[in-house]
Amino acid sequence: MKKKILIIDDEELIRLSLSEGMKDYGYAVETADNCKGAIEKIQSFRPDVALIDLKLGHENGLELADQIKELDDFIEIIMMTAYGDIRTAIEAIKRGASDFLKKPLDLEEMNVAITKALSSQVMKRKLEIYEQRSSESANGFIGKSAAMRDTVNKMQILSKNDSVTVLIRGETGTGKEVVANYIHQNSQRHGNVLLSLNCAAIPSQLIESELFGFEKNAFSGAGARKRGLVELADGGTLFLDELGEMPLDIQAKLLRFLETKKFKRVGGLESIEVDIRVIAATNRDLEKAIEEKTFREDLYYRLNVVPILLPPLRERGEDIEHLAHHFLDTYLKKFGKESAHFTQEAIEWIKRYKWPGNVRELKNIIERMVILNDVPVFSKDHLPYELVGSAPVENVEVGTRPSELPTEIPQGFSLEDVVETMEVSYIKTALRQCGGNLSNTAKLLGISRYALKRRMEKYNME
């Protein structure tokens, strides 16, 4: 997508020449000749960079810059003038301008200034994301359950020992990345970067080059040297999410790196030494993976020195209410809505649900409720279907067996009818427990997703 430039100048010839020149450099360009027109363009065109003349007839370009920054602080501003002096330039920079250019304008010089401004914009966005993640890390552990107290205690200890490798284990949505952020932000490495790699999201043949980088001509398409995440994170922290999905050959190279803190780029001969901390996370049963020969036992013991086990939300019953209130307040503020609260009935339904998606699911559901409703009180009626859509099936618990077997079979007995009743009951209970998610329901019942769908079609279940 082309970057957008808005040119604001009261001289038509300058607007035209600058517009054509910037289009030649590949930008999308709009123009305005006064402050009112500029504000309208800001709201409709949403430019990345605004080029503003210092004197717009009887209007002041610096005052316009202030208005633009109030509307969108991410818009980069470059001031232009034929009457510039050092004092004016300093004032422009103070008001948020990224550069100050004197007329007559040189198109190449202007393009260089725009390129620098766009780079600054990218860094601002990265910083905002970084600060947002840091804030989430600081506030992500709400509750007083014994399980969470133990977890937070370990996190605090590991934050102070920033050379210790960490293994975080827990179900999907329990907050493993939040733990990694917390440990990094509270360690002596907090001034350096925290880089992440999701081992399940990258094709196995690319993981090694993502981790360790490669030399020029190391393989077809390697036209230039690339530094990997291990090298780029020097001095900071590398977070390896979904570690259980890492191929065995890369596990061996990771183990070697953890033991020596040295590595070689793909196709390279030079050993490079770095100082990083590795935090790994997984939702897989690593012990079972070791038995199945899909995870290295030596790597497991190298990582599992001080493991952090994140409890699922269903085991943190006393924390669910605190988290619900926290997320409600967070999203009311985020979307600029008036304060609100839950009814006690709504809280009871929230606490009753099994939360297969854990904290992430709770957070997403409350965000959805806040977006869709403008009310001072959130009741049971505002809760989504997955929480209240189907009543519990009485006397049926997934994973249990009948306590008593019949001693006599009555006349007219139909085994098929009994099996159908039991299957329907188990499927309904599992669907409710998993919020309607078919994959999770099938996993809970110990059958394939295809088998589940086949049974649901057989019993005309939606």
Side-chain angles (χ1 to χ4, degrees), residues 119-230:
S119 297
S120 175
Q121 186 182 70
V122 169
M123 291 305 298
K124 283 181 183 177
R125 293 188 185 279
K126 286 183 177 179
L127 181 60
E128 182 182 55
I129 293 170
Y130 185 76
E131 290 176 344
Q132 188 176 39
R133 289 173 67 182
S134 299
S135 174
E136 289 176 356
S137 297
N139 298 309
F141 298 95
I142 296 169
K144 300 179 180 179
S145 64
M148 282 311 298
R149 284 200 303 270
D150 178 64
T151 297
V152 172
N153 182 53
K154 281 186 178 179
M155 288 162 48
Q156 292 171 342
I157 292 171
L158 289 167
S159 297
K160 296 173 184 176
N161 296 275
D162 66 357
S163 61
V164 178
T165 303
V166 180
L167 177 62
I168 308 167
R169 304 181 66 173
E171 295 179 6
T172 298
T174 49
K176 296 186 288 295
E177 187 170 3
V178 177
V179 173
N181 284 327
Y182 179 94
I183 292 173
H184 174 76
Q185 291 300 326
N186 289 277
S187 73
Q188 293 182 0
R189 298 178 183 271
H190 70 275
N192 294 307
V193 295
L194 166 65
L195 299 181
S196 302
L197 176 69
N198 187 320
C199 301
I202 297 177
S204 57
Q205 64 270 25
L206 298 180
I207 290 182
E208 183 178 3
S209 59
E210 284 293 317
L211 273 177
F212 303 116
F214 54 79
E215 296 289 353
K216 182 178 180 179
N217 300 323
F219 49 82
S220 177
R225 170 190 287 176
K226 175 187 174 181
R227 291 177 172 82
L229 295 177
V230 166

Side-chain angles (χ1 to χ4, degrees), residues 320-336:
I320 293 175
E321 182 174 354
H322 297 292
L323 283 163
H325 287 303
H326 167 72
F327 291 135
L328 179 62
D329 291 341
T330 297
Y331 288 115
L332 288 170
K333 291 176 183 176
K334 178 178 179 179
F335 298 114

Side-chain angles (χ1 to χ4, degrees), residues 38 57 102 130 158 179 244 280 299 308 318 355 392 395 405 426 434 452:
K102 288 185 64 176
Y130 185 76
L158 289 167
V179 173
L299 177 58
I308 292 180
E318 58 194 291
W355 298 107
N395 302 321
L405 294 174
Y426 273 86
C434 295
L452 173 63

Side-chain angles (χ1 to χ4, degrees), residues 395-447:
N395 302 321
V396 178
E397 289 293 334
V398 174
T400 64
R401 298 174 183 270
S403 57
E404 294 183 10
L405 294 174
T407 57
E408 186 176 343
I409 305 297
Q411 292 296 320
F413 174 80
S414 170
L415 181 60
E416 288 187 0
D417 288 347
V418 173
V419 171
E420 178 177 336
T421 301
M422 289 293 292
E423 281 196 332
V424 169
S425 296
Y426 273 86
I427 291 170
K428 283 184 176 179
T429 301
L431 282 168
R432 175 178 55 80
Q433 192 169 330
C434 295
N437 184 293
L438 295 186
S439 296
N440 290 342
T441 299
K443 185 177 180 181
L444 184 63
L445 291 170
I447 59 177

